[in-house]
Amino acid sequence: MRIVDSKNRMSLRELHEMAANTFGDMVKAVIDVKLALMAIDAELHADEEALLIENGSDQKDLWGINLYPEIEGEDFIEFDSMINLRPSIGNRSRGVENPEVREKVRKVVADLVIR
């Protein structure tokens, strides 16, 4: 598990290797939309969430996703994680229902994963 930020980006090749070593076609990640960083390469989104919180992130800014390195376009990112269930702020699913938050997540991923 590691934290990726603008000073320590990752390549698509690294993402492929992570996928091959874990779930085969997918890598779990948690994005901090405020600090523009992500934790990646763990079995559970909750572990990545905990790592970011330990390093100064605020839970309200964290969103769980899955990345599919073999897929291009919008399906590269899957918005699906138990940590996204937040009925108190109106997010009543495992997805990310707010389009503005989804766009922030996409921008962070586009910046941190070098294609």
Side-chain angles (χ1 to χ4, degrees):
M1 186 166 46
R2 73 185 244 207
I3 294 177
V4 180
D5 61 20
S6 61
K7 294 178 184 173
N8 300 295
R9 291 180 170 94
M10 66 181 305
S11 69
L12 189 57
R13 181 183 53 76
E14 289 175 281
L15 197 58
H16 279 279
E17 291 170 5
M18 284 180 185
N21 291 328
T22 55
F23 298 100
D25 64 342
M26 173 266 283
V27 178
K28 293 184 180 196
V30 172
I31 306 299
D32 182 322
V33 294
K34 184 177 180 184
L35 300 178
L37 48 86
M38 74 177 166
I40 193 163
D41 198 24
E43 191 171 320
L44 300 172
H45 289 112
D47 293 335
E48 295 164 338
E49 178 184 46
L51 176 65
L52 290 175
I53 290 170
E54 287 170 11
N55 283 276
S57 291
D58 190 339
Q59 197 274 335
K60 69 179 175 53
D61 299 318
L62 304 180
W63 297 93
I65 62 170
N66 301 314
L67 299 174
Y68 291 85
E70 297 290 331
I71 299 176
E72 299 211 16
E74 287 204 14
D75 292 335
F76 172 66
I77 300 173
E78 176 184 44
F79 296 91
D80 181 28
S81 173
M82 291 298 292
I83 72 164
N84 297 340
L85 283 168
R86 299 188 198 158
S88 64
I89 63 165
N91 205 81
R92 299 185 181 277
S93 75
R94 293 167 40 126
V96 178
E97 296 174 7
N98 183 317
E100 292 173 10
V101 173
R102 280 195 311 269
E103 187 56 31
K104 287 178 183 179
V105 168
R106 285 187 187 102
K107 286 181 179 180
V108 171
V109 171
D111 181 54
L112 299 181
V113 178
I114 302 165
R115 292 182 162 263

